[in-house]
């Protein structure tokens, strides 16, 4: 225990308080079959690695499937976020959240002994936006016209993989980008409102 604490600290990877999704998961795991748990875990992996949202509207127990998905997603996404989380700390924190031993063993096998599945998620998580620099230039003239006063937006986006993306946009292109970004944020908010993602 002291070795784990020295390596990773006293705070659980789930946070200071066990999330509501995990508490609901613990209650549901008492009555869930192993094959159902494996199936929903696979759905979470697909969601994390490919962005595919499962459709539980036609399953026998929709409420149970959504509770399982919400709790498993909460756990697995946090493990991906904490890249250097050692296995002993993962087990300790799951035990602290009262997750049954069989479920902990199952999650261990997915997250630690099958790294090829979760490494794709970690690779995606590593390649994230970290900084945006921008400026507006005004083109005063060109070879054709003596005076045009055309504004241009220059954007430099830095990623966590040390790569940078530079874009030069017209005002029309910038407004199109702004509208697309607003749509993505709106869609993300709608996703959070789904029952299996509610906190």
């Amino acid at each position: 225990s002291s070795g784990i604490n020295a390596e990773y600290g006293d705070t659980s990877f789930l946070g200071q308080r066990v999330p509501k999704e995990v508490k609901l998961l613990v209650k549901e795991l008492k009555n869930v079959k192993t094959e159902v748990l494996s199936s929903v875990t696979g759905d979470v992996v697909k969601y994390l690695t490919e962005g595919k949202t499962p459709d539980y509207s036609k399953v026998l127990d929709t409420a149970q499937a959504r509770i399982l998905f919400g709790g498993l997603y909460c756990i697995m996404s946090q493990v991906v976020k904490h890249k250097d989380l050692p296995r002993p700390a993962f087990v300790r924190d799951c035990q602290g959240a009262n997750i049954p031993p069989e479920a902990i063993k199952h999650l261990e096998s997915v997250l630690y002994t099958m790294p090829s599945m979760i490494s794709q998620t970690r690779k995606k998580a590593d390649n994230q936006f970290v900084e945006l620099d921008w400026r507006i230039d005004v083109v005063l003239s060109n070879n054709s016209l003596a005076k045009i006063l055309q504004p241009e937006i220059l954007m430099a986006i830095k990623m966590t993989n040390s790569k940078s993306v530079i874009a030069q946009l017209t005002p029309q292109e910038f407004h199109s980008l702004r509208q697309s970004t607003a749509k993505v944020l709106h869609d993300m908010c709608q996703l959070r409102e789904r029952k299996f993602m509610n906190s």
Side-chain angles (χ1 to χ4, degrees):
S1 175
S2 59
I4 296 174
N5 291 341
E7 183 178 4
Y8 190 68
D10 294 322
T11 304
S12 168
F13 75 93
L14 293 170
Q16 293 183 346
R17 296 182 179 180
V18 178
K20 179 181 177 181
E21 296 93 339
V22 176
K23 290 181 179 179
L24 292 173
L25 171 69
V26 170
K27 293 180 180 179
E28 204 63 44
L29 286 173
K30 297 176 182 179
N31 304 311
V32 71
K33 295 181 179 179
T34 303
E35 55 267 27
V36 175
L37 177 62
S38 298
S39 177
V40 178
T41 302
D43 290 337
V44 175
V45 171
K46 287 182 180 179
Y47 181 77
L48 287 170
T49 58
E50 304 173 22
K52 292 183 179 180
T53 304
D55 180 12
Y56 293 134
S57 60
K58 297 180 181 179
V59 299
L60 187 62
D61 194 335
T62 301
Q64 182 190 64
R66 287 176 173 171
I67 290 173
L68 292 173
F69 184 94
L72 291 171
Y73 171 81
C74 184
I75 293 170
M76 296 172 70
S77 62
Q78 286 301 311
V79 173
V80 172
K81 181 179 178 181
H82 295 80
K83 306 174 190 175
D84 301 322
L85 179 69
R87 183 184 290 201
F90 169 78
V91 173
R92 176 203 66 191
D93 294 344
C94 286
Q95 290 172 340
N98 296 319
I99 297 173
E102 297 80 5
I104 296 176
K105 186 176 180 180
H106 171 71
L107 289 171
E108 269 192 283
S109 69
V110 174
L111 294 168
Y112 289 94
T113 63
M114 300 174 67
S116 60
M117 296 177 66
I118 212 66
S119 63
Q120 298 178 44
T121 308
R122 283 181 171 156
K123 187 176 180 180
K124 287 188 176 183
D126 286 342
N127 189 19
Q128 294 179 347
F129 161 87
V130 291
E131 185 178 344
L132 171 66
D133 292 326
W134 63 276
R135 74 168 189 256
I136 297 177
D137 295 333
V138 178
V139 179
L140 299 178
S141 63
N142 59 21
N143 295 333
S144 303
L145 300 172
K147 188 175 182 180
I148 57 175
L149 297 177
Q150 175 66 47
E152 292 181 339
I153 298 95
L154 186 66
M155 300 173 61
I157 303 171
K158 295 181 181 180
M159 311 297 290
T160 50
N161 61 1
S162 300
K163 292 184 179 181
S164 296
V165 178
I166 298 177
Q168 189 172 356
L169 307 173
T170 65
Q172 293 78 13
E173 291 171 333
F174 176 76
H175 286 306
S176 177
L177 174 64
R178 180 178 60 83
Q179 291 170 357
S180 298
T181 303
K183 184 180 184 303
V184 169
L185 292 174
H186 175 71
D187 292 344
M188 289 174 64
C189 288
Q190 284 190 324
L191 179 62
R192 291 193 184 101
E193 290 173 0
R194 294 190 178 187
K195 289 184 179 180
F196 59 77
M197 296 289 285
N198 279 347
S199 57

